[in-house]
Amino acid sequence: HAVLDFRHIHDADGSWRELERRLNGAGVANLEEAYRELQVEAILGPYREVMSPAMVQELRSGRSKLPDQVVAKITNFYKAVNQITSATAPVEPLVRKVVASWTMLESFVRENAKTEKMAESGLDRVAFAWMTLVPLGEFPADQGGAPPEHLAVSRADQWLLFKTVREAFEGSGLDADTAYWDSQLVRVLLTHSDLLTPRTAVTLGQSVRRALSDTTIREYLKVHTYDGVLWMSKDRLERMTAALVMTSRMSPETGYPISVDTAAAVRNNARQLLDAAEQAGYRVERIMQMLG
């Protein structure tokens, strides 16, 4: 056997020795990732309790109310966020928003069970992951100024929480590829949950064009060039749009549902986007032209 790629590590704080102790001679696919997991264990552990495969399966059984043990795990997670960020954000109001969001989500799923097959789509698990991560933007940062949605994504990346979401999805029965892209859909929702929400002096086309400047959305929609033309994936666009309609029913900032008129406007924008995409043959620039 030939062993390559040796390197010296200066273990200033004993963390590498602790990793060696835990591995106990076993190998890992990615040593740097294993080390990062050790570094963020204080936050990663509590979130794994929230987003475990067993929890995802249990929540998909059609509960209209979050079980008490789930609420307790979410509470512990946000308390851990307070500790690791040295923040003093009130935890209980954040937990109440998640509980209220789940109730609204289940109501939406029941209302659309026949027409949109929400239970079979698995978007409920995507929405649950999204609603647990949205509050990360509400814990004060050392350096203020970042929008809450960007702060939430940054922290979820730093603490490997998207990886935890992917592992929970895969552990609950999804294949590895679907689990990965659904975890990326959670990322899309965190940064663009208002994509279909009408805004003053901003057209739907402008909102979509701005969103498509985000690499995450472009990758999720499989935007690619073929024969000099930009194309996107029909299936991915439909799934992203359905997820945006679902999560638009709840306001992560307030924990209350949006108005009936706003909900109708969101659905109308979703229909416009999907109709334009179909008529454009999923050619990106043609979609933009049709949306105006």
Side-chain angles (χ1 to χ4, degrees):
H1 298 283
V3 183
L4 306 174
D5 298 326
F6 279 97
R7 63 190 176 99
H8 291 283
I9 294 175
H10 180 61
D11 191 15
D13 59 359
S15 55
W16 282 101
R17 181 175 295 278
E18 174 60 17
L19 178 60
E20 177 195 27
R21 184 190 69 78
R22 295 190 183 197
L23 291 176
N24 193 29
V28 290
N30 187 318
L31 187 60
E32 292 294 341
E33 191 170 88
Y35 183 70
R36 283 184 64 199
E37 288 186 5
L38 178 64
Q39 297 294 93
V40 298
E41 184 179 47
I43 194 74
L44 194 56
Y47 192 62
R48 280 175 170 160
E49 291 290 313
V50 174
M51 282 299 299
S52 68
M55 193 68 70
V56 171
Q57 287 284 55
E58 181 177 357
L59 292 176
R60 298 205 65 211
S61 62
R63 294 176 178 270
S64 59
K65 179 183 177 183
L66 281 178
D68 290 342
Q69 72 267 26
V70 180
V71 175
K73 292 178 188 299
I74 293 171
T75 301
N76 289 338
F77 170 54
Y78 293 150
K79 286 180 177 178
V81 175
N82 256 341
Q83 291 176 351
I84 202 170
T85 60
S86 300
T88 56
V91 168
E92 291 306 318
L94 298 179
V95 175
R96 285 198 297 270
K97 290 178 184 178
V98 176
V99 172
S101 294
W102 176 262
T103 302
M104 287 182 275
L105 169 66
E106 284 302 294
S107 174
F108 178 83
V109 170
R110 288 194 300 273
E111 291 171 8
N112 296 274
K114 293 182 179 179
T115 57
E116 301 185 27
K117 298 182 179 179
M118 287 296 174
E120 291 86 346
S121 72
L123 285 177
D124 49 353
R125 63 173 163 251
V126 171
F128 176 70
W130 165 78
M131 67 180 67
T132 62
L133 294 178
V134 166
L136 295 185
E138 299 191 39
F139 291 84
D142 291 336
Q143 297 179 345
E149 61 273 16
H150 292 166
L151 186 56
V153 170
S154 174
R155 284 169 166 168
D157 269 328
Q158 178 187 351
W159 299 332
L160 304 177
L161 303 184
F162 290 120
K163 178 175 182 285
T164 301
V165 170
R166 173 178 58 79
E167 291 172 343
F169 289 169
E170 189 172 351
S172 65
L174 292 184
D175 63 83
D177 187 63
T178 302
Y180 171 77
W181 286 112
D182 268 4
S183 72
Q184 291 302 99
L185 181 53
V186 174
R187 183 192 296 269
V188 168
L189 294 175
L190 281 173
T191 48
H192 299 283
S193 62
D194 62 347
L195 175 59
L196 299 177
T197 304
R199 279 169 287 180
T200 304
V202 179
T203 67
L204 177 59
Q206 289 171 329
S207 295
V208 173
R209 186 177 292 278
R210 185 192 63 187
L212 285 173
S213 67
D214 184 341
T215 302
T216 300
I217 280 195
R218 292 174 68 88
E219 290 179 350
Y220 180 79
L221 293 176
K222 294 184 175 180
V223 174
H224 64 284
T225 302
Y226 180 75
D227 278 349
V229 177
L230 273 179
W231 305 81
M232 68 170 62
S233 164
K234 172 181 182 292
D235 292 342
R236 290 281 178 82
L237 177 64
E238 290 176 349
R239 186 165 182 78
M240 184 187 79
T241 303
L244 287 167
V245 170
M246 174 184 280
T247 55
S248 74
R249 287 289 295 269
M250 56 207 84
S251 169
E253 290 80 15
T254 65
Y256 294 105
I258 59 176
S259 70
V260 173
D261 289 344
T262 302
V266 167
R267 282 189 175 277
N268 182 60
N269 279 345
R271 190 71 266 156
Q272 284 188 51
L273 174 57
L274 294 177
D275 286 347
E278 184 176 9
Q279 293 173 35
Y282 300 93
R283 291 170 291 182
V284 174
E285 286 306 321
R286 183 62 181 144
I287 294 172
M288 296 297 97
Q289 293 169 7
M290 295 184 70
L291 291 175

